[in-house]
Amino acid sequence: MKLIAAYLLAQLGGNATPSAKDIKKILSSVGIEADAERLKTLLSELEGKDINEIIAEGSSKLASVPSGGAAAGGSAPAAAGGSAAAPAKEEEKKADEEDEDDDDMGFGLFD
């Protein structure tokens, strides 16, 4: 992501085709060392392509990814009420028992 961000910053700065040197300069200005192999791969993948088209294509792919379904499913059992209260009481009992065990801080061996 750092390499892509630096590439995009270079383009926003007016450099239509940033070189590896340009990207390394941007990253080094904030104390980040660029991985040469990844940078080479990124530049070869982006060579001759319009970054705006790539972003638009990626955005359309992300739009088809489902999201938010797990949150709605997770809240349904909480609305049921009584069934969620019983496990909470059991957890409290376990927590109280663990607290009692922790109170002696391991010195119970000397009793």
Side-chain angles (χ1 to χ4, degrees):
M1 290 302 281
K2 297 172 196 172
L3 295 175
I4 295 170
Y7 184 90
L8 291 172
L9 282 171
Q11 282 206 325
L12 284 173
N15 187 349
T17 55
S19 67
K21 183 179 176 183
D22 297 330
I23 294 172
K24 285 180 181 180
K25 183 177 179 182
I26 291 170
L27 292 174
S28 68
S29 72
V30 292
I32 298 172
E33 187 175 327
D35 180 6
E37 192 61 36
R38 285 186 168 181
L39 181 56
K40 181 179 173 183
T41 302
L42 173 70
L43 291 176
S44 68
E45 291 290 324
L46 294 176
E47 187 175 353
K49 296 180 182 176
D50 180 25
I51 195 69
N52 295 319
E53 290 176 11
I54 294 171
I55 292 172
E57 182 182 335
S59 295
S60 67
K61 287 181 182 181
L62 282 176
S64 67
V65 175
S67 63
S75 63
S83 63
K89 288 181 182 178
E90 289 177 20
E91 288 178 19
E92 287 178 21
K93 283 183 182 177
K94 288 179 184 176
D96 289 340
E97 290 171 6
E98 289 175 8
D99 287 343
E100 290 173 7
D101 291 341
D102 291 341
D103 288 340
D104 67 4
M105 296 177 58
F107 295 112
L109 296 174
F110 301 107
D111 290 339

